[in-house]
Amino acid sequence: MNDNARFHPDPSLDLVLVRHSQVSPELVWKAWTTPSLLMQWFCPKPWKVSDCKIDLRPGGRFWTVMESPAGEKSPGDACYLEVIENRRLVWTNTLLPGYRPKVLNAAGNGMDIFPFTAVIEIEPNGSGSTYTATVIHADEESRKKHEGMGFEIGWGLAFDQLVELMSTTKSS
Amino acid sequence: MNDNARFHPDPSLDLVLVRHSQVSPELVWKAWTTPSLLMQWFCPKPWKVSDCKIDLRPGGRFWTVMESPAGEKSPGDACYLEVIENRRLVWTNTLLPGYRPKVLNAAGNGMDIFPFTAVIEIEPNGSGSTYTATVIHADEESRKKHEGMGFEIGWGLAFDQLVELMSTTKSS
């Protein structure tokens, strides 16, 4: 995984969450890449993911619909950039499937309050793994906005849900 | 190359240039991925490419500076998405190196009048190759703007320059 040396987060522009857990790399990967599993952990409760489509290949679609307790739906369409099984998953909300540039902030495109790319890295660590989620922003303003919205808590709670879910799931 | 089935251009959004030539896939690839060669053909004369940097990997930098006969410089920073040697090269101007979203249309960012992703496909064809350049736009307005700027002529002239250059170059 020399590839991992590739990403050097810029503290002024990027946000990073690092977690160690007893969940194996294979199960973290499975949780990120299986719609029926992702829907159970990806969004901190009481919000939920009410729909998810995954076409797991570079250029493939990563589609989620987040839904508030009141039923307000927030759809998000993204594109996978790198798919390295059990190790690294990269996706961006700046592109639609097939690498098509997205018209950002268009009416009804509520999820795209700012463009970002997410790099999910998973490394074996003892009987579990180390999970690093890096979110790459265009500018400091976007990073601050995301931080202010509670990136650390939100992505942290979601990962706690992943750990809880996958701790009761057997490796396939 | 089942992968090639992946891109299905949308005529309302995409522009496609197809050319058959006697240049081998290896030499078309070399012309696209070697800065000293790319600088000689990438920009229709009398404009020229006065600087070029290539970091040939997904997430790597594709940097060019186009220069007008009057010396006006137009720098462009893009990011490679797929690098399949001698067959397919995908890059986008919507992302900076390391997949960082770009702030589009910012002051001084003259190249980015519209976001696009370029898919360069090269297929063996007899003793030469078939070259397909597909440019993927966000919306019909961008496609029309690019078409109006002379996509077909511009990309066509550039490819003519590539053919002329590589016809006198030996395969490495």
Side-chain angles (χ1 to χ4, degrees), chain B residues 136-156:
Chain B
I136 300 169
H137 303 89
D139 52 24
E140 206 167 324
E141 188 189 339
S142 296
R143 191 267 300 160
K144 283 182 180 168
K145 196 188 285 181
H146 203 173
E147 202 166 25
M149 284 171 62
F151 163 82
E152 180 85 23
I153 293 175
W155 284 63

Side-chain angles (χ1 to χ4, degrees), chain B residues 9 19 29 39 42 48 55 60 84 91 111 122 164 172:
Chain B
R19 290 291 182 94
W29 181 260
M39 289 173 71
F42 191 60
K48 65 178 181 183
D55 180 8
I84 303 173
W91 53 277
M111 280 294 285
I122 313 164
E164 191 185 344
S172 67

